[in-house]
Amino acid sequence: MEFKQGEELIVVHFGELWLKGGNRNYYIRLLEQNIKEQLAGARFDLQRNFDRLILRPGKGSSFESISHRLGKVFGISVFELSIVAKPELKSIVSTAKRMLSAKPRPKSIRINSHRSYKQLPFTSIDVVDKLKNTAEGLGIEPKVKDYERELSISVTRDAAFLTLKREKGAGGLPVGSSGKAVVLLSGGIDSPVAAWYAMKRGLVPIYLHVHAFRENAEAERGKVSKIMGTLSGFHRGSKAYFIPSYVFQANSTRFGKYELVLLKAFMLRLAEKVARKEGAQLIVTGESLGQVASQTSSNLAAEQQGVTAPILRPLIGLDKEEIIAIAKRIGTYEDSIKPYKDVCSINARNPKTATEPDEMKRLLKKIGIAKVVSKSLSMSSVAG
Ligand code: ATP
Ligand code: MG
């Protein structure tokens, strides 16, 4: 790959992907595709260069203008704004000098160097020593602790990359690398965070929302669509199923305390059907353990009876506080706390905390759950 001395580009590192041995080309191609989708509309050129991707911003794009979006692409560990030098000491020094001279000049700096091409006639220590002198010459103190800025030099066969600006990426795996999952999405705080975790581990979410309206269109106009919109910032183009709850409600109202657990069982069965239809292997929910009365061990066990698709609960060990912090960070919190006509809230106030498996089986049969599920599904609408 050709590099021009002095050119500014973005170096994208993919971290964990390197653990994937034989599959790593597949992962990297997926990551490239996801970056292109994420940055759609911006001008740039993206190419792979050994263990990194080189992103060259085009006309009207810059590190600043795209870093917010790039920071949402799962599979990126770090990305940096780098200046290219030749892989020679002289060129590295003169480039570093120019970078460090720019105002505002730091008072202190840490200098790191890494060489991925070992046949060069100088070592990383040579680079650091030379640049320490350069810094001192400019009145900047080289330090390894309590420094103001950091200058990293990465030397490859074709070029040296000098970096003063680095952003942490979203981590995880490229969305799509783990297949698809049906995500049970309520309008609440937890399930959007669960969806984010699912995407972080490479799953394409297919959203399923059960609503308490008469018409799907009413639900589609509501806040759940806004939450899906925010989540689409991490991966675009997810499908969303909107399914009314009234068929279920009509058949289940006489079960009082059990109704909430039955409602969950109903949702999981819907999810399993949709999963089969969409070629998804997993179901994801925003449940955690013991957070509310309905989320006890025995209820979690009862609600998934008869469902064979694996159910992932990425929030299982998180406290509410921790979930809220993530919801705020990913931008779903504000919509999640808005008032909503939630199906769960119109159900029993004092849900059963211990549900016997046999009792559950009996109640599901009484409701005629299979019919309720297929009828509800036939009333669904699919967006996206
Ligand atoms: P959340 O904040 O995600 O609504 P919660 O704390 O309110 O969760 P529950 O009401 O017990 O807890 O819901 C647990 C999980 O069940 C949700 O995280 C979500 O995955 C699923 N779920 C609840 N309500 C709905 C719904 N109306 N449509 C689809 N899935 C739902
Ligand atoms: Mg809820």
Side-chain angles (χ1 to χ4, degrees), residues 247-268:
V247 179
F248 170 82
Q249 309 281 5
N251 287 278
S252 68
T253 40
R254 48 193 200 282
F255 300 115
K257 289 189 170 204
Y258 286 101
E259 202 180 330
L260 207 49
V261 188
L262 289 170
L263 177 64
K264 285 293 164 50
F266 164 66
M267 289 182 188
L268 288 172

Side-chain angles (χ1 to χ4, degrees), residues 62-130:
S62 65
F63 185 77
E64 281 69 29
S65 72
I66 62 175
S67 64
H68 178 66
R69 283 193 273 166
L70 206 52
K72 289 183 173 176
V73 180
F74 290 115
I76 296 178
S77 57
V78 171
F79 56 101
E80 314 166 310
L81 178 64
S82 301
I83 314 266
V84 172
K86 286 189 194 153
E88 299 162 4
L89 271 180
K90 214 174 130 194
S91 173
I92 293 171
V93 169
S94 67
T95 306
K97 198 168 174 183
R98 215 165 353 103
M99 289 168 76
L100 293 176
S101 304
K103 298 216 162 94
R105 224 182 257 189
K107 286 198 178 61
S108 58
I109 196 145
R110 179 186 172 127
I111 299 164
N112 297 313
S113 179
H114 174 78
R115 221 172 31 133
S116 58
Y117 182 62
K118 306 289 179 194
Q119 266 89 296
L120 294 163
F122 57 89
T123 65
S124 289
I125 296 169
D126 295 337
V127 174
V128 173
D129 284 346
K130 276 267 184 212

Side-chain angles (χ1 to χ4, degrees), residues 31 34 72-76 170-175 196 199-200 234:
L31 179 61
N34 290 354
K72 289 183 173 176
V73 180
F74 290 115
I76 296 178
L173 302 169
V175 177
W196 179 82
M199 288 189 270
K200 185 170 186 222
F234 299 92

Side-chain angles (χ1 to χ4, degrees), residues 254-255 262 269 359-370:
R254 48 193 200 282
F255 300 115
L262 289 170
R269 276 152 205 261
E359 180 65 358
M360 190 70 183
K361 231 181 248 169
R362 195 179 65 79
L363 294 177
L364 287 170
K365 208 165 159 196
K366 224 168 165 181
I367 290 178
I369 192 72

Side-chain angles (χ1 to χ4, degrees), residues 187-288:
I189 296 169
D190 303 331
S191 42
V193 175
W196 179 82
Y197 269 119
M199 288 189 270
K200 185 170 186 222
R201 295 317 296 173
L203 289 163
V204 173
I206 295 158
Y207 299 116
L208 193 167
H209 176 64
V210 177
H211 63 82
F213 299 98
R214 215 51 218 175
E215 303 288 336
N216 291 326
E218 257 183 286
E220 286 180 37
R221 279 194 298 273
K223 71 169 185 177
V224 176
S225 293
K226 276 197 81 184
I227 291 172
M228 289 172 186
T230 304
L231 291 170
S232 75
F234 299 92
H235 175 75
R236 290 178 190 217
S238 274
K239 268 192 182 175
Y241 281 74
F242 288 84
I243 304 178
S245 61
Y246 55 78
V247 179
F248 170 82
Q249 309 281 5
N251 287 278
S252 68
T253 40
R254 48 193 200 282
F255 300 115
K257 289 189 170 204
Y258 286 101
E259 202 180 330
L260 207 49
V261 188
L262 289 170
L263 177 64
K264 285 293 164 50
F266 164 66
M267 289 182 188
L268 288 172
R269 276 152 205 261
L270 283 175
E272 184 164 59
K273 279 254 158 103
V274 170
R276 232 172 259 150
K277 197 164 133 203
E278 296 287 345
Q281 280 180 304
L282 307 170
I283 297 170
V284 173
T285 83
E287 289 160 317
S288 98

Side-chain angles (χ1 to χ4, degrees), residues 186-191 264 291 295 320 342 344-345:
S186 72
I189 296 169
D190 303 331
S191 42
K264 285 293 164 50
Q291 191 194 83
Q295 293 173 9
K320 195 75 186 186
D342 182 27
C344 290
S345 62

